[in-house]
Amino acid sequence: MNTQNTQKASPTLPNPASGKVCVVGIGPGALDLLAPRALAALQQTEVIVGYRTYLNLVKDCFNPKAEVISSAMMQEIDRCRKALELAEAGRKVALVCGGDPGIYAMAGLVFELAQSQGNRCGIEIIPGIAALNDCAAVLGAPLMHDFAAISLSDLMTPWELIEKRLTAAAAADFVTVLYNPKSKKRTSQIERAREIFLQHRPASTPVGIVKAASREDEHVELCTLADMLTIDIGMQSTLTIGNSQTFVWQNRMITPRGYAKKYGL
Ligand code: SAH
């Protein structure tokens, strides 16, 4: 393991007297897509911390005796600090994240805070099915070849860097999954992303737009780079832009791996 850049950390061995933070990925929303390990963590922990909307999706799985601490969106730092503080005091805490906790969620922030604060409680990351997995399954098989995931949120990442990555992914013919495509305040980013892709791919390239995958209001649209902006896109949407080989068959989006070319089918 590379131990460079860890100077900031104080003693790295967990303190056996402290508790533990389990950073739990609950998947896209449907209970039957919650992994058994995540379910066990929700059933067994004494304190459950998370964003209200995500907690509501899985509240039926909680340990009935658990203390539940819910918060509004955009309070990630407070949420992670609270979870670490409780674990330092000896409690077993589940910190709930949507999808996978290591993909645009809180696993990294928990480690960053623990490093800067010198926390010694245990930290366990429990994976979940990410939006990109579930959206791919709903659409067909669009991620069968190399792909990139790019978040269009420029709240913490400079837009120039996001454009650089969009350009690189588009030029290198990656299937590209766009997270955080649009919100009420951020409306131009998706338009710019489309322009960049149109510089490298035909307007007929398939685009799959899945909103609220595996939730009650799931909505799926198959369109193209040409008409994608006519579809309703919001905070709960993920876009999958095909590569130069991606095709649509019977309303499913498919990226060939290359079997047909190599072996004939
Ligand atoms: N940790 C999550 C990502 C959180 S970032 C994961 O692993 O998927 C929030 C973004 O994820 C949203 O803006 C949206 O682009 C995507 N997303 C999360 N849940 C989704 C769902 N059920 N359907 C479609 N997209 C979803």
Side-chain angles (χ1 to χ4, degrees):
M1 189 188 284
N2 183 356
T3 51
Q4 278 176 355
N5 300 325
T6 53
Q7 271 75 0
K8 243 172 126 188
S10 50
T12 46
L13 285 178
N15 177 356
S18 343
K20 178 171 157 185
V21 177
C22 289
V23 192
V24 181
I26 61 164
L31 288 185
D32 57 355
L33 289 182
L34 179 74
R37 195 183 296 175
L39 177 62
L42 296 178
Q43 288 171 336
Q44 288 161 16
T45 38
E46 311 157 14
V47 192
I48 299 178
V49 182
Y51 166 43
R52 206 164 293 132
T53 307
Y54 291 140
L55 294 184
N56 278 338
L57 290 169
V58 289
K59 60 180 186 310
D60 294 342
C61 308
F62 295 168
N63 170 356
K65 290 188 191 142
E67 180 188 340
V68 179
I69 304 175
S70 71
S71 60
M73 210 166 63
M74 310 291 286
Q75 293 174 356
E76 290 95 342
I77 298 182
D78 293 345
R79 237 177 279 152
C80 294
R81 275 220 174 93
K82 183 79 191 163
L84 285 165
E85 186 186 305
L86 290 163
E88 286 287 306
R91 318 276 308 265
K92 197 170 176 217
V93 187
L95 179 63
V96 170
C97 301
D100 181 83
I103 300 183
Y104 308 124
M106 286 184 286
L109 179 54
V110 167
F111 283 119
E112 285 182 69
L113 283 170
Q115 184 191 33
S116 74
Q117 299 175 168
N119 292 129
R120 293 180 63 199
C121 58
I123 298 174
E124 181 184 356
I125 311 299
I126 301 184
I129 293 176
L132 65 79
N133 297 119
D134 197 28
C135 293
V138 166
L139 289 167
L143 305 184
M144 285 298 297
H145 218 294
D146 301 332
F147 67 92
I150 300 176
S151 166
L152 296 192
S153 170
D154 54 357
L155 296 179
M156 287 184 286
T157 306
W159 178 249
E160 300 70 50
L161 179 59
I162 298 173
E163 276 212 9
K164 194 172 155 191
R165 290 180 179 162
L166 288 166
T167 307
D173 203 28
F174 280 101
V175 174
T176 306
V177 183
L178 299 181
Y179 270 81
N180 297 302
K182 191 176 173 184
S183 71
K184 280 193 187 118
K185 286 190 190 149
R186 290 187 305 101
T187 54
S188 60
Q189 288 80 351
I190 187 69
E191 294 166 15
R192 183 68 193 124
R194 173 177 172 270
E195 279 170 16
I196 291 171
F197 274 83
L198 279 171
Q199 285 163 12
H200 299 274
R201 292 183 204 178
S204 58
T205 302
V207 178
I209 303 181
V210 184
K211 193 171 188 180
S214 291
R215 298 188 191 158
E216 266 175 16
D217 47 344
E218 175 181 294
H219 187 78
V220 187
E221 293 272 359
L222 261 184
C223 53
T224 62
L225 277 178
D227 62 1
M228 60 177 254
L229 293 182
T230 62
I231 311 292
D232 179 32
I233 298 172
M235 289 271 281
Q236 290 197 68
S237 311
T238 298
L239 276 75
T240 305
I241 302 175
N243 69 11
S244 58
Q245 307 301 305
T246 304
F247 62 94
V248 172
W249 174 74
Q250 296 198 344
N251 242 1
R252 312 305 287 275
M253 183 174 171
I254 300 139
T255 301
R257 178 84 199 280
Y259 292 102
K261 223 156 131 197
K262 183 152 174 78
Y263 302 107
L265 295 178

